[in-house]
Each structure stands twice: as C-alpha cells, then as structure tokens.
C-alpha cells in the first residue's frame, strides 16, 4: 500500500466504528478479575499497544505510536510532550557518564543548549563537527558513543551525506541519531539512510496546525530497547488530546507538504529576482551546495527558506510591514511566518557566509502564493529599493 493511503488509515478502530481512534482519557484501567490484571501486566512487558495504565498511553497514543513508527520505518516509536523532550530523553537514555557525544554544528539550538548546560553536568563531554563531514575520524574519541545529526539544518539548510557518515560512525561502533523534524518522516527517512534513531518534533508538520506540542523518537534493535526502557521508567508520554490532534494532522501530511513546497519554491524564485536580496537558501535550489545529495536522499522539500538580504537592508522594517506573515518561532503550521535569524558566526561550516548580512527565515504557509507575494511586494514597495 502506498504511503499516502496508509496516512489515511493509521489507527482506525474496528468497524463499525469511528473513522478516527477516539480520545481515550484514563489513568486507571479496570479489570473484573485479578487474572486479567496480571495478564495485562505480563503482556505489556513486550507490547506497548497493551492498555494497562494511563502513563503507558491509552489507545489514542498507541495508534499514534504505530503510525509514527511506520512513517519512520522503525520497530517502535515513543511519544513525548515536546520535540525537545524527545531529544533530551533520547540522549539521557543512550549516554552514560564518561561518554563523548558529537553534535553537527548546525544542530537545533535547544539541542545544543541541553547538551552543553545539562548533559555536561552528568559527565558527558560534547564535541562539534562541521555539517559537510563524512569522515568522522578527526572528531572521534575512544569514549564517543553517539553522533547527533540534523539534515538539513533548520535555519540555513546545510545537507548532510547521511549514508557516508553513518557508515563511518558504525565502523567505529558509534550510534547515529537524527533530528528529522525538517523531513518529518515524509520527505526524508534517516533510518533508511543508516541512522539508528530518528526524532521528529511533531509540533511542526505532524500536528501541522500550530496548536500541538509533541515529539517522537523512533528506533529499532538495541537502541529501541534502551529508549523504551528509559521512556517507561521515567514516566514520559503524550496526553490523549495531543495524540489525537497529531494523528488528525498526519492525515493531510503529504498534501500539506506538497503545498508548502510549492509555495516555498515560488517565493524562492521571486526573492531571487529582487534587488535587495543577495541569495536564497533552500536545499532544492540548484544554487544550494547540498542540492545533489538532497535530491538523491529526499523526496521533496518543505515550506522553509531563508533569504539573505544585502548588508544594511532593514529586515525588521520589512517584517513589521508584512500582514500575512506573522513574526514568531516554530514552523510547520498552516500559516506563513517570518523570523530574523543570526546563524552562529562561529560555526566552521558557515565560513563562506556573508558575515554582515541580514538573514530572514520564512515559512511558506498554505495560503495562495499570489497573496503571499503580493504581501511581500507591498511591504518592499513602501521600503523602496536599496541603493546598490
Ligand atoms: C522545533 C524543533 C525542535 C523542538 O521541538 P519543540 O516541540 O518545540 O520542543 C527540535 N528540532 C527542530 C529541528 C525543530 O525545528
């Protein structure tokens, strides 16, 4: 069955029944007999779809776990209350005092903060490597246990060669974990490319409507067993309403991403012609250094693009004038967004970046692209063309 069809049927209850798995709220699950109670406890040891107690998730969360595991091509998926919770829980599950973890230098900011400010206090040392790396040898230490990758980066979209990097890491016995929020399991599947663990901030495209916070961590084999144990033992999970909203959002994941991609590509082409613009960053553009690898490994791109404006251009005035693009964090919802970004100047992989430029990350929403362009056009017209 094709993936689009599976999106429509994930978690459907037996018929006759509702089209969606209902929101089941519960702490206690009642049994008539002690035998049934004991049997449930036994079965849940090896099966996360057993309804045993609210902390282990009810049928609503179980449906979503199965859907995300299938989307990611993993043995199992575990749910957490935010993307950052999924990231921090996975790192705590897989690392021990004395270990060394390598982060790609384009990693999501909050991931780096967690590692540097919390994980380090548990005796885990942290190293960074440039996103173009395929040979990890210069960065590996005898204590290196895990490499955390993210492709493309979520601000300037550097693409990594995951198959090459995973082969190198595995040869050294190192686990590879990916932040797959950009591809959200639809455009990009890190586990099929060699990664051991994949994490999605479902807050973005899985929920898709800017009203859900959730994260998922998917894995197979030994990594899955360790993640499962840690998630259950630490009492992590996702509330039934959030699980329901995420699965409901996923029904239209492929359709929404098609439209996001279409709008982002149209905006990229439009920006590229503007005199105020030095360059447009988007992994599917021929001008992007990662385009060949992205084409090889991904089935498409999402609604994100970053625009490098000429030095001195007043990006704040532009953002303040836009009507259809809200200014705000996050992305992946139906709505268009704009946010000034300042990619960390110390990132070695960003050496070629125009150091003095103003960069804005846009998220192309599901609006009609003509209206988005008209909004940008009107805002720039007021501002006047930049002297060059
Ligand atoms: C948003 C985001 C996260 C964190 O997700 P939250 O649900 O906001 O905690 C992690 N990684 C990437 C790439 C993101 O864009």
């Amino acid at each position: 069955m094709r993936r689009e069809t599976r999106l429509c049927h994930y978690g459907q209850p037996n018929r006759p029944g509702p089209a969606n798995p209902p929101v089941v709220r519960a702490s206690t699950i009642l049994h008539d007999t002690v035998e049934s109670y004991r049997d449930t406890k036994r079965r849940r040891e090896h099966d996360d779809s057993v309804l045993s107690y609210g902390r282990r998730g009810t049928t609503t969360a179980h449906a979503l776990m199965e859907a995300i595991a299938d989307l990611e091509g993993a043995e199992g998926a575990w749910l957490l209350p935010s993307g950052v919770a999924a990231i921090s829980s996975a790192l705590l599950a897989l690392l021990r005092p004395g270990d060394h973890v390598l982060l790609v230098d384009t990693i999501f900011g909050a991931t780096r903060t967690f590692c540097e400010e919390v994980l380090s206090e548990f005796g885990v040392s942290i190293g960074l490597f440039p996103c173009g790396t395929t040979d990890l040898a210069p960065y590996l230490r005898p204590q290196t246990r895990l490499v955390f990758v993210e492709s493309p980066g979520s601000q300037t979209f550097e693409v990594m060669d995951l198959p090459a990097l995973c082969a190198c890491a595995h040869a050294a016995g190192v686990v590879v974990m990916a932040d797959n929020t950009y591809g959200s399991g639809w455009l990009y599947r890190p586990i099929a490319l060699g990664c051991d663990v994949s994490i999605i901030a479902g807050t973005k495209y899985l929920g898709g409507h800017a009203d859900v916070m959730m994260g998922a961590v998917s894995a197979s084999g030994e990594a899955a067993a360790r993640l499962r144990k840690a998630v259950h033992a630490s009492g992590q999970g996702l509330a039934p309403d959030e699980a329901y909203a995420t699965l409901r959002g996923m029904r239209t994941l492929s359709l929404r991403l098609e439209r996001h991609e279409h709008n982002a590509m149209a905006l990229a082409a439009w920006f590229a012609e503007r005199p105020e613009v030095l360059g447009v960053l988007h992994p599917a553009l021929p001008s992007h250094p990662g385009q060949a690898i992205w084409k090889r490994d991904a089935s498409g791109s999402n609604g994100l693009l970053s625009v490098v404006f000429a030095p001195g251009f007043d990006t704040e005035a532009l953002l303040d004038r836009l009507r259809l693009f809200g200014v705000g964090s996050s992305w992946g919802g139906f709505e268009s967004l704009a946010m000034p970004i300042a990619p960390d100047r110390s990132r070695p992989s960003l050496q070629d970046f125009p150091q003095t430029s103003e960069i804005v990350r846009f998220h192309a929403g599901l609006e009609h692209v003509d209206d988005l362009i008209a909004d940008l056009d009107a805002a720039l017209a007021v501002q006047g063309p930049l002297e060059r």
Side-chain angles (χ1 to χ4, degrees):
M1 202 185 286
R2 301 294 285 259
R3 300 171 70 211
E4 289 81 354
T5 311
R6 298 216 297 275
L7 281 181
C8 294
H9 292 274
Y10 282 139
Q12 285 197 316
N14 293 334
R15 293 179 191 179
N20 284 294
V23 178
V24 174
R25 297 165 171 277
S27 52
T28 304
I29 302 301
L30 298 173
H31 300 262
D32 276 333
T33 65
V34 176
E35 191 198 335
S36 161
Y37 174 72
R38 287 206 176 113
D39 177 58
T40 300
K41 286 241 171 178
R42 256 192 313 273
R43 286 186 298 117
R44 80 170 190 180
E45 288 311 308
H46 307 284
D47 183 355
D48 283 334
S49 69
V50 172
L51 184 63
S52 66
Y53 181 56
R55 196 198 311 122
R56 292 281 188 117
T58 67
T59 47
T60 322
H62 297 163
L64 180 61
M65 289 164 78
E66 224 181 288
I68 294 178
D70 186 67
L71 199 66
E72 289 273 56
E75 208 174 87
W78 291 275
L79 308 178
L80 294 108
S82 71
V84 168
I87 289 165
S88 60
S89 300
L91 289 168
L92 287 170
L94 299 174
L95 293 166
R96 293 295 171 266
D99 287 353
H100 175 241
V101 59
L102 281 173
L103 309 177
V104 65
D105 65 350
T106 49
I107 202 89
F108 185 65
T111 300
R112 192 163 159 182
T113 303
F114 174 75
C115 290
E116 290 176 349
E117 295 184 12
V118 178
L119 209 48
S120 62
E121 297 192 333
F122 286 83
V124 174
S125 56
I126 293 127
L128 294 173
F129 66 99
C131 58
T133 303
T134 49
D135 179 11
L136 286 166
Y139 308 99
L140 289 172
R141 295 188 199 162
Q143 303 80 12
T144 311
R145 290 286 166 275
L146 190 143
V147 179
F148 199 165
V149 299
E150 183 176 328
S151 178
S154 67
Q155 294 206 334
T156 42
F157 316 115
E158 296 78 1
V159 174
M160 303 183 71
D161 189 340
L162 289 192
L165 186 123
C166 290
C168 180
H170 290 157
V174 173
V175 167
V176 185
M177 186 154 103
D179 184 328
N180 190 27
T181 303
Y182 182 102
S184 286
W186 189 257
L187 305 170
Y188 198 53
R189 303 179 87 206
I191 289 176
L193 296 172
C195 295
D196 303 283
V197 180
S198 180
I199 291 174
I200 301 176
T203 306
K204 311 291 165 61
Y205 285 117
L206 297 188
H209 294 74
D211 56 1
V212 178
M213 297 292 302
M214 71 83 62
V217 47
S218 303
S220 299
E222 199 192 320
R226 295 187 66 173
L227 289 164
R228 177 176 192 262
K229 184 173 80 173
V231 166
H232 289 330
S234 61
Q236 292 283 9
L238 188 68
D241 287 280
E242 308 309 288
Y244 180 89
T246 307
L247 189 56
R248 182 197 234 253
M250 283 171 63
R251 303 288 187 212
T252 54
L253 180 65
S254 69
L255 274 172
R256 287 184 287 109
L257 279 168
E258 267 175 41
R259 177 66 167 257
H260 286 298
E261 176 177 44
H262 171 267
N263 285 0
M265 295 304 284
L267 291 187
W270 185 83
F271 273 121
E273 299 299 317
R274 293 290 309 194
E276 305 86 348
V277 170
L278 288 184
V280 181
L281 306 171
H282 185 293
L285 294 178
S287 59
H288 194 284
Q291 193 218 17
I293 292 177
W294 188 244
K295 251 179 128 165
R296 181 192 73 188
D297 292 345
S299 63
S301 52
N302 69 22
L304 291 174
L305 68 155
S306 288
V307 177
V308 185
F309 288 93
F313 178 78
D314 190 350
T315 53
E316 256 185 64
L318 169 66
L319 267 51
D320 289 352
R321 281 198 191 95
L322 292 171
R323 289 290 160 262
L324 297 180
F325 292 81
V327 177
S329 295
S330 198
W331 42 275
F334 55 86
E335 82 287 24
S336 287
L337 296 169
M339 180 178 84
I341 57 168
D344 186 343
R345 307 285 192 227
S346 68
R347 272 152 51 179
S349 48
L350 287 180
Q351 270 166 9
D352 297 338
F353 239 72
Q355 297 287 304
T356 54
S357 290
E358 302 289 333
I359 307 179
V360 177
R361 188 185 68 186
F362 290 91
H363 178 250
L366 301 177
E367 299 93 338
H368 197 289
V369 74
D370 291 353
D371 292 324
L372 296 179
I373 288 174
D375 193 30
L376 289 162
D377 203 30
L380 284 169
V382 176
Q383 207 152 333
L386 195 85
E387 298 282 316
R388 306 192 79 196

